[in-house]
Amino acid sequence: MDVKFAPVMANAADFPEAIIRATPGFGFSDVGLLWQKLQLGQCTYTRNGRAAIAIAAQQLQYPNQTNTVLLPAYHCPALVEPFLWLGYRVRFYPVQADLSVDAAVFQRLLTADVSHCVVVQFFGFKQNANQLITLAHAAGKRVLEDCAHGLVDFVASLQQDDPRVSARICSINKVLPTIDGGLLYLRQRQSTQPGHCSWLEELKGIAFLLKIPQRLQRLRQRTKTRKPDRISTPEPTPGFKYFRPADLNSASFRHTKWILQCSDLAAIKTKRRANYHYLVTGLAGVAAGTCLYPVIADEAPYVLPFLLRDGSHFQQLRLKKIQVLRWEEMAPSGCDITEQYRSRLIQLPCHHKLTRADLDYIIQAMAGLTEL
Ligand SMILES: Cc1ncc(COP(=O)(O)O)c(C=O)c1O
């Protein structure tokens, strides 16, 4: 099925290197010798979140019939591409201003030909995911819960079995300082597990985590010698910008597991929540827009979603070297909120390694946004 995603509006290559990054950088304190023995139950480590989605979609696909999946209109292509690769038909449900979904509208879209449904916890917040899961399950759909942004709560949720959900996925490197990693929970345990890469690839991965090739690249650029080495990633598949089928065959790096097992997730959650609250307070009077969720429940935030009045302020923030993110490449769905949020909803960093000075810098940059 041919789905055309909207083009990017701003290109990362056009901005200076960020000094405040969206995700935390690695430090040796991230690999203490204290192995926490996280209870991951029947979870599978995957190369990334999109590979976890693809494996789930593959395992849950009905053979010899058309599979149709309902996805949120507000999305990133990495969430949609695995379904397209597997030959699913995709359909989109609209989102509301707070990214929750109107239950009546959602229910009307759960037609007989829809076989699967994806419910996303945007930015680590639950919106009305629980209600949607109940509705989709009651309508006999196979439900995949996308917790790509909510590693900490994903791990906690593994303690309770939820018969309504067939699969749940999350991404590791959105929250932890790793260069890859996803986790997949499949209710029906899968028979084969993705294997590890070679030790040579593992060593290259560790070098990349330690920024060795990146530093060499800078050195070579200064001396204008040959092109830099990169960690080997499979070639992109024609027609897919983010999804690589080869990722299905490989688990995450071994050192990614190590970092996860050494991470104090409770402390990370506390710090992220504290940073989030500090930003919300500091941004309360800012003229540029409003925090989408000024009050949060018990979740561990991935980023702070902020609704700009003027989408062009995104560029100003990037020029101030803050790695603000924004989803721009949505498939057409007719959802007005998605169309508006494509330029106006930005994701401000609030990760657990940000210092008070970093947070103040973000607040000042936001307060200083000017009309262009
Ligand atoms: C909601 C959502 N699901 C899935 C993914 C894919 O995760 P990953 O980047 O780990 O492949 C992303 C990342 O872009 C995402 O934002």
Side-chain angles (χ1 to χ4, degrees):
M1 186 182 175
D2 202 19
V3 171
K4 292 252 176 302
F5 295 98
V8 288
M9 302 166 73
N11 200 330
D14 297 336
F15 300 116
E17 193 178 341
I19 47 171
I20 298 187
R21 300 193 59 86
T23 51
F26 174 78
F28 285 103
S29 57
D30 293 310
V31 281
L33 291 174
L34 188 69
W35 192 270
Q36 311 263 328
K37 268 260 155 266
L38 282 181
Q39 297 298 318
L40 295 179
Q42 63 187 68
C43 251
T44 303
Y45 280 91
T46 60
R47 174 58 83 196
N48 44 38
R50 62 207 85 162
I53 293 173
I55 297 170
Q58 200 170 43
Q59 300 277 323
L60 298 173
Q61 194 166 20
Y62 291 104
N64 309 320
Q65 71 171 68
T66 306
N67 288 258
T68 301
V69 62
L70 262 188
L71 295 156
Y74 188 68
H75 55 249
C76 55
L79 165 61
V80 185
E81 286 183 345
F83 291 99
L84 299 176
W85 176 69
L86 287 163
Y88 278 72
R89 282 173 188 271
V90 297
R91 238 174 251 166
F92 299 101
Y93 54 87
V95 295
Q96 306 186 108
D98 63 355
L99 299 179
S100 67
V101 179
D102 183 308
V105 171
F106 183 72
Q107 200 152 23
R108 274 202 296 281
L109 290 169
L110 293 170
T111 47
D113 57 339
V114 169
S115 50
H116 298 71
C117 187
V118 175
V119 176
V120 178
Q121 296 188 5
F122 295 100
F123 313 127
F125 305 105
K126 295 196 171 66
Q127 292 87 29
N128 63 335
N130 194 36
Q131 187 184 23
L132 304 183
I133 291 170
T134 300
L135 291 172
H137 176 69
K141 315 304 176 195
R142 290 188 166 173
V143 178
L144 192 159
E145 193 177 7
D146 182 324
C147 313
H149 303 166
L151 172 71
V152 180
D153 295 317
F154 173 93
V155 171
S157 75
L158 294 171
Q159 304 310 317
Q160 310 124 26
D161 179 44
D162 185 346
R164 301 170 306 164
V165 177
S166 302
R168 213 180 257 141
I169 70 101
C170 84
S171 182
I172 298 176
N173 59 327
K174 294 210 174 355
V175 172
L176 296 184
T178 64
I179 57 169
D180 78 344
L183 285 170
L184 165 64
Y185 164 83
L186 264 178
R187 197 139 194 279
Q188 297 287 321
R189 188 194 268 271
Q190 78 191 99
S191 44
T192 54
Q193 304 278 322
H196 281 299
C197 61
S198 68
W199 280 103
L200 180 63
E201 286 302 315
E202 185 76 35
L203 286 176
K204 285 189 193 169
I206 293 173
F208 201 81
L209 180 76
L210 298 175
K211 297 204 166 28
I212 295 170
Q214 297 91 317
R215 290 199 180 108
L216 286 176
Q217 174 181 0
R218 267 188 229 124
L219 208 67
R220 282 184 186 129
Q221 272 170 351
R222 243 179 268 153
T223 53
K224 287 239 182 330
T225 51
R226 67 184 184 88
K227 282 197 153 185
D229 295 335
R230 299 182 58 104
I231 52 164
S232 60
T233 47
E235 286 299 306
T237 302
F240 297 104
K241 186 167 171 190
Y242 298 96
F243 173 64
R244 292 181 174 85
D247 285 348
L248 269 74
N249 305 325
S250 180
S252 65
F253 284 117
R254 296 167 184 85
H255 67 267
T256 295
K257 287 186 181 182
W258 189 20
I259 293 172
L260 174 57
Q261 292 287 351
C262 291
S263 296
D264 183 346
L265 295 182
I268 287 173
K269 178 169 180 169
T270 304
K271 187 71 174 54
R272 282 177 170 261
R273 286 176 60 81
N275 286 351
Y276 189 96
H277 289 308
Y278 188 82
L279 283 175
V280 167
T281 307
L283 296 171
V286 162
T290 47
C291 296
L292 197 66
Y293 305 124
V295 179
I296 58 173
D298 183 39
E299 300 111 333
Y302 159 50
V303 288
L304 185 150
F306 187 93
L307 189 59
L308 291 172
R309 288 186 221 294
D310 175 354
S312 70
H313 283 153
F314 174 86
Q315 274 86 338
Q316 285 190 42
L317 292 167
R318 279 298 192 115
L319 291 171
K320 290 184 179 175
K321 302 189 178 180
I322 303 171
Q323 195 188 19
V324 186
L325 304 178
R326 180 168 70 176
W327 285 358
E328 303 170 349
E329 301 168 276
M330 267 69 83
S333 66
C335 169
D336 290 343
I337 294 290
T338 295
E339 194 44 45
Q340 290 173 38
Y341 282 15
R342 218 183 132 224
S343 60
R344 291 177 49 215
L345 188 63
I346 59 167
Q347 306 167 29
L348 295 174
C350 69
H351 67 74
H352 53 281
K353 292 202 179 181
L354 292 179
T355 61
R356 189 53 71 89
D358 295 332
L359 298 171
D360 287 335
Y361 182 83
I362 295 173
I363 293 167
Q364 275 165 24
M366 294 291 291
L369 289 173
T370 50
E371 298 303 322
L372 291 176

